[in-house]
Amino acid sequence: MKKTSTRLADGRELIYYDLRDDKVRDAVDHRPLERTVTTSEIRRDPLLGDSIAVASHRQGRTYHPPANECPLCPSQGDRLSEIPDSSYDVVVFENRFPSLAGDSGRCEVVCFTSDHNASFADLTEEQAGLVLDAWTDRTSELSHLPSVDQVFCFENRGAEIGVTLGHPHGQIYAYPFTTPRTALMLRSLATHKEATGGENLFDAVLERELAGERVVLEGEHWVAFVPYAAHWPYEVHLYPKRRVPDLLGLDEAARTEFPQVYLEVLRRFDRIFGEGEPPTPYIAAWHQAPFGALDEFDGVSRDDFALHLELFTIRRTSGKLKFLAGSESGMNVFINDVPPERAAERLREVASS
């Protein structure tokens, strides 16, 4: 992998990740852009104890542009985009309309491929491996920023999810705090560790799933399964079999196998609702240990956390979406329409479709 860092016309950082070491990236951003001004503010809810970001400047962000005006495609002739070069393998750049900025963290965009009509599932194993390298590198770099406690790499896919740019891309949020979902996991880790005399909860969950009926796909170094208490109609968790706290902890064998397993899971997601259906909307979310202090979680260290990816769709059946209505949105109690065992069975069935 070759990494080349440069600057856009308004001063934001842009980084090329290339498969070839001899690739030269010296294209200049000629757009007449003014320096980005953000108004991101973090506010803490005193009742729930969580934090929200107020980012009113995002109201003006790019919204469903036509394909020939996509800001994530390479620049061509007079059509100038966020990527100055005429081609790229993988690109990461600071979001022009960030939810988090300055002392409130940082937001980045990850473009998986220059092909506007592709998806992550269309990537080759080599290309998917390069995306993994980019996620890992950005996790490392962002973790050293003084304002960052946790790094979250994710992909939103599909208009139903709320995606406003159709180009295959993901994002990275670098939060200045430990996110509520991760805090819940850490509290459960601490409680289980104390109750069992030191047993790791992630290890116990993985052992149970490996022995059960919800495994979707298993490799030598990774396993994908539908969790026992899945919140979403089709939800798959992808774990390395050797527990590591973050992407930086993966060894070469796990990094090599990841694209094989993940691409197969994504392709099955696109087949679960049958032929003729539009691409399955999904969210793919990497869960990594926070880099900040864990003092509030008694007896838990970063090494107790288990890196994993959670993939889920809001489509519950052909032509129907799972809406977060009263119970889910009002009380955070999910009601799943599809038994996890049936979801796992369906994802195994489409393996050879």
Side-chain angles (χ1 to χ4, degrees):
M1 177 192 77
K2 181 181 181 181
K3 175 184 175 182
T4 306
S5 180
T6 184
R7 292 282 171 179
L8 296 172
D10 57 4
R12 288 175 294 132
E13 185 178 18
L14 179 144
I15 306 164
Y16 294 96
Y17 293 90
D18 286 296
L19 291 168
R20 288 174 45 186
D21 290 337
D22 60 351
K23 195 68 178 178
V24 176
R25 298 295 187 183
D26 55 7
V28 176
D29 183 8
H30 293 290
R31 294 174 297 169
L33 296 180
E34 296 182 358
R35 187 166 292 275
T36 301
V37 177
T38 63
T39 56
S40 180
E41 177 189 356
I42 300 297
R43 296 186 180 183
R44 187 167 179 81
D45 186 318
L47 293 180
L48 297 180
D50 59 6
S51 299
I52 65 110
V54 179
S56 58
H57 63 277
R58 284 175 52 80
Q59 287 282 36
R61 65 187 183 275
T62 308
Y63 188 79
H64 292 297
N68 62 354
E69 296 179 15
C70 175
L72 306 185
C73 288
S75 293
Q76 298 287 344
D78 295 332
R79 190 187 63 74
L80 305 179
S81 73
E82 290 279 61
I83 296 92
D85 215 324
S86 59
S87 67
Y88 64 85
D89 291 338
V90 173
V91 166
V92 177
F93 60 87
E94 288 183 76
N95 198 321
R96 190 177 176 187
F97 304 97
S99 302
L100 309 167
D103 292 339
S104 297
R106 175 158 157 153
C107 292
E108 298 182 340
V109 177
V110 184
C111 298
F112 302 140
T113 172
S114 59
D115 185 352
H116 180 85
N117 297 312
S119 69
F120 200 114
D122 295 323
L123 301 182
T124 66
E125 290 181 12
E126 186 179 34
Q127 289 173 311
L130 184 61
V131 176
L132 177 62
D133 289 340
W135 283 331
T136 306
D137 180 70
R138 297 315 301 154
T139 295
S140 176
E141 293 289 329
L142 293 171
S143 71
H144 289 96
L145 296 180
S147 63
V148 172
D149 270 10
Q150 186 172 355
V151 179
F152 175 47
C153 307
F154 65 100
E155 179 191 2
N156 297 328
R157 192 243 203 156
E160 300 94 329
I161 297 294
V163 175
T164 57
L165 297 176
H167 196 101
H169 73 288
Q171 300 180 66
I172 302 175
Y173 277 22
Y175 298 100
F177 50 80
T178 296
T179 60
R181 189 174 177 87
T182 302
L184 285 173
M185 294 182 191
L186 291 168
R187 291 190 189 101
S188 295
L189 266 176
T191 300
H192 185 85
K193 189 173 185 178
E194 182 179 6
T196 60
E199 182 182 68
N200 183 278
L201 179 58
F202 281 112
D203 292 350
V205 168
L206 189 57
E207 182 179 1
R208 181 179 70 175
E209 295 294 358
L210 279 166
E213 58 182 319
R214 290 178 297 275
V215 171
V216 173
L217 183 64
E218 183 178 356
E220 183 179 354
H221 304 284
W222 293 86
V223 60
F225 59 87
V226 178
Y228 171 74
H231 289 55
W232 299 93
Y234 289 91
E235 176 180 341
V236 171
H237 292 190
L238 181 60
Y239 276 71
K241 291 183 177 179
R242 183 179 68 86
R243 173 164 45 90
V244 295
D246 51 43
L247 290 165
L248 284 72
L250 294 174
D251 60 23
E252 195 58 35
R255 300 183 69 83
T256 298
E257 187 181 81
F258 169 77
Q260 304 165 20
V261 177
Y262 186 47
L263 289 172
E264 175 59 22
V265 171
L266 289 179
R267 289 161 187 167
R268 293 189 192 187
F269 251 58
D270 272 343
R271 295 195 292 261
I272 51 179
F273 298 109
E275 294 293 330
E277 286 290 319
T280 301
Y282 65 73
I283 293 174
W286 279 109
H287 291 262
Q288 306 191 80
F291 289 93
L294 301 180
D295 297 341
E296 63 181 291
F297 309 104
D298 294 339
V300 171
S301 70
R302 291 193 79 251
D303 289 336
D304 289 317
F305 196 86
L307 167 76
H308 63 284
L309 183 147
E310 297 184 8
L311 172 71
F312 61 89
T313 179
I314 62 171
R315 187 178 293 163
R316 57 187 174 88
T317 190
S318 180
K320 298 179 181 179
L321 300 180
K322 166 65 177 177
F323 292 102
L324 300 190
S327 186
E328 291 88 354
S329 295
M331 283 295 164
N332 200 28
V333 177
F334 277 68
I335 300 169
N336 194 346
D337 304 285
V338 180
E341 293 74 23
R342 173 54 189 152
E345 181 182 23
R346 178 60 184 151
L347 285 162
R348 290 192 298 268
E349 288 174 352
V350 297
S352 58
S353 299

